[in-house]
Amino acid sequence: MRSTVLILAALCLEGIAARPQTDLSKSTPPIPRAESRPKANTYQNHAEAALDRLQQWYNHDTGLWKSYDPSWWQSANALTTLLDMVQAGSPKAGVIASVVIPNTFQAAGAFNARSKHGLKRAAATKDDHQNPFSNGFYDDMGWWAVAWMRAYDVTGNRTYLDTAEALFADMTTGWGTSCWPEGMWWDKQHTHIDPIADTLFLETATHLANRVQADQKKPYVDWAVRAWDGLRKGPMYVSSADEHYVTAADGVDPKTCQLKKDPHGYTYSNGALVSGLVALSNATGDRDYLQEAHNIAHTVMKIMVSKDGILIEPGIDQAHPGESAPQFKGVFMRALAGLHAADPRAEYHEFAQRCADSIWDKNRQGEEKGGGYGNTGAGGVELGPDWNGPFHGPTNARPQSSAMDGLVAAWAMTRQMEKMGETGNGNW
């Protein structure tokens, strides 16, 4: 496994492929002169320094990263962050991943099966759908499915893709709610309807469609199309001349089928949808899905930002964000990087750099010290939940990995734009 990851990190993962565009945007914000722009390796260095600290929160015995107990879906996101760094070409991340991937697969799966960790773990309707990463919450299974697909991309190990497929099969048992037939329950006990379950269901289906054999692709595409049609026709999606986004931060009351008190949306629901629509466009060749992803991205960048243009979580006190929200913003930045890779826009790159610079300059404690590739590197950089600053704690894997997603997004986009400039295919 170690050699596989290292070879891929060194040779195969040179960057996220881009389709060059000559007209990147009709509304492009001013971009600094070439000599003043941060280079891709600047963001790589920052992300790798933050990785040193992230791994100090990794528990080898449970295969999970410390956040709040049980650190379950948050650990799936931390693993995805690490694997995105491997795909971006980080040798340090490649060495760490060679240990973390198999250990998390064994240890976290065993932890889930052994402890049930308070999540009302329920058996799937069919025995062959169940695996150690299934539990009673459909969004949790989506996060782990996305993580194991990343692990498959990095290692080529079919076991990880099989795990993602089994998780999705279990997720399909949540289809059809009391309010509308074309949508997902949030949990197996049918107590709540929440857009994150729908957007992750769509994202999981589309990513699987782009990884399985050609003769296995259609069912996943069909599920994704149904999920998108159901979501966009329901009350949890806003579509107007000026705005396109997932709303219903508190979900829908399954008894009244009405939105709960907070009409604003969360960044992570929108991020999962952007990622899913980009993948659905790739799977079908239909650029209408890609255009809708652009529409959502632009809306989020307009209404879910601070006065300084830094990504925030609407309706959340940035100084006291609670247990889950510190993880959210990174999900959107991962999706924005994927959208930029598929169809670049200068405003996405500028937004990612602005957020990454704010994370590093205003939302950091400690200094970049380098260090080895092990799980206890010398770097002590901690990143907080408020990307606009100032830094505040307590810190753990949630705000750390989420802010790292912001750094990795800027890294990937900057390198992509640098390459486009080198080949004369962009306005860099």
Side-chain angles (χ1 to χ4, degrees):
M1 178 70 69
R2 179 184 294 268
S3 61
T4 301
V5 173
L6 286 174
I7 291 170
L8 286 171
L11 300 178
C12 299
L13 304 176
E14 278 298 311
I16 304 173
R19 181 166 53 251
Q21 302 287 317
T22 55
D23 180 14
L24 291 181
S25 174
K26 295 182 180 179
S27 57
T28 305
I31 298 177
R33 291 168 57 96
E35 59 269 21
S36 66
R37 295 189 193 107
K39 299 297 184 182
N41 60 6
T42 298
Y43 298 115
Q44 177 180 351
N45 292 339
H46 293 171
E48 289 181 340
L51 178 59
D52 284 330
R53 185 66 180 103
L54 179 68
Q55 288 310 109
Q56 292 171 25
W57 284 307
Y58 183 68
N59 185 327
H60 192 87
D61 292 335
T62 63
L64 303 175
W65 284 261
K66 177 185 176 182
S67 58
Y68 71 90
D69 290 338
S71 303
W72 184 243
W73 68 270
Q74 297 86 352
S75 290
N77 276 280
L79 178 60
T80 302
T81 302
L82 172 63
L83 296 176
D84 281 350
M85 291 181 65
V86 177
Q87 289 186 299
S90 168
K92 173 180 284 189
V95 173
I96 293 173
S98 70
V99 176
V100 167
I101 295 171
N103 185 72
T104 294
F105 188 75
Q106 295 298 325
F111 171 84
N112 183 43
R114 178 178 68 250
S115 68
K116 303 182 182 179
H117 58 230
L119 292 182
K120 302 173 184 175
R121 185 173 186 268
T125 55
K126 294 183 179 180
D127 291 340
D128 61 348
H129 286 178
Q130 191 174 2
N131 69 51
F133 291 90
S134 290
N135 67 12
F137 297 87
Y138 294 110
D139 58 334
D140 285 2
M141 289 188 280
W143 296 122
W144 279 107
V146 168
W148 292 125
M149 282 186 277
R150 290 284 205 282
Y152 169 72
D153 294 340
V154 166
T155 66
N157 187 333
R158 177 75 199 199
T159 299
Y160 303 132
L161 184 60
D162 291 344
T163 300
E165 288 195 83
L167 283 166
F168 182 77
D170 199 347
M171 291 169 73
T172 63
T173 67
W175 186 259
T177 72
S178 57
C179 292
W180 48 85
E182 296 293 288
M184 287 289 294
W185 285 103
W186 176 67
D187 61 337
K188 289 182 176 177
Q189 291 194 336
H190 295 182
T191 66
H192 185 57
I193 299 170
D194 194 283
I196 190 59
D198 291 88
T199 58
L200 272 172
F201 183 82
L202 188 155
E203 181 182 8
T204 302
T206 55
H207 285 317
L208 283 170
N210 289 319
R211 286 165 173 81
V212 298
Q213 298 295 322
D215 61 350
Q216 301 172 324
K217 180 177 180 177
K218 187 177 184 302
Y220 294 118
V221 171
D222 290 345
W223 271 119
V225 171
R226 288 180 66 186
W228 169 234
D229 286 345
L231 179 64
R232 68 186 179 87
K233 292 175 182 177
M236 297 189 296
Y237 190 69
V238 172
S239 180
S240 66
D242 298 323
E243 294 182 347
H244 302 249
Y245 67 102
V246 180
T247 184
D250 281 350
V252 171
D253 186 328
K255 295 180 180 178
T256 65
C257 298
Q258 300 297 311
L259 297 182
K260 293 188 178 180
K261 63 178 181 178
D262 292 327
H264 62 80
Y266 285 144
T267 56
Y268 79 150
S269 297
N270 285 279
L273 182 55
V274 167
S275 180
L277 290 172
V278 171
L280 184 56
S281 177
N282 183 42
T284 62
D286 188 341
R287 290 184 64 87
D288 286 346
Y289 298 122
L290 192 63
Q291 182 57 53
E292 193 66 10
H294 283 302
N295 293 340
I296 297 165
H298 279 275
T299 301
V300 170
M301 291 164 55
K302 180 178 71 172
I303 70 174
M304 301 186 184
V305 295
S306 69
K307 63 180 181 180
D308 298 323
I310 307 302
L311 192 65
I312 62 171
E313 204 57 56
I316 297 292
D317 182 348
Q318 303 296 306
H320 304 282
E323 294 180 338
S324 296
Q327 195 77 62
F328 292 175
K329 296 188 292 291
V331 176
F332 177 76
M333 295 308 298
R334 287 203 309 255
L336 191 66
L339 177 58
H340 186 271
D343 198 13
R345 295 286 187 272
E347 65 264 35
Y348 300 160
H349 176 235
E350 193 274 341
F351 180 77
Q353 285 197 322
R354 185 167 63 244
C355 288
D357 292 343
S358 184
I359 289 168
W360 192 255
D361 295 339
K362 300 178 181 180
N363 184 43
R364 169 173 55 99
Q365 175 175 270
E367 296 298 328
E368 183 178 355
K369 298 178 181 179
Y373 287 174
N375 289 352
T376 57
V381 172
E382 294 184 347
L383 306 173
D386 186 353
W387 293 5
N388 214 41
F391 173 88
H392 60 82
T395 56
N396 54 47
R398 285 171 294 150
Q400 187 82 3
S401 63
S402 182
M404 286 170 63
D405 288 327
L407 298 175
V408 174
W411 169 15
M413 292 189 208
T414 301
R415 184 183 54 200
Q416 182 181 357
M417 297 296 278
E418 288 173 351
K419 289 185 175 181
M420 289 172 63
E422 290 170 1
T423 59
N425 289 323
N427 60 357
W428 183 258

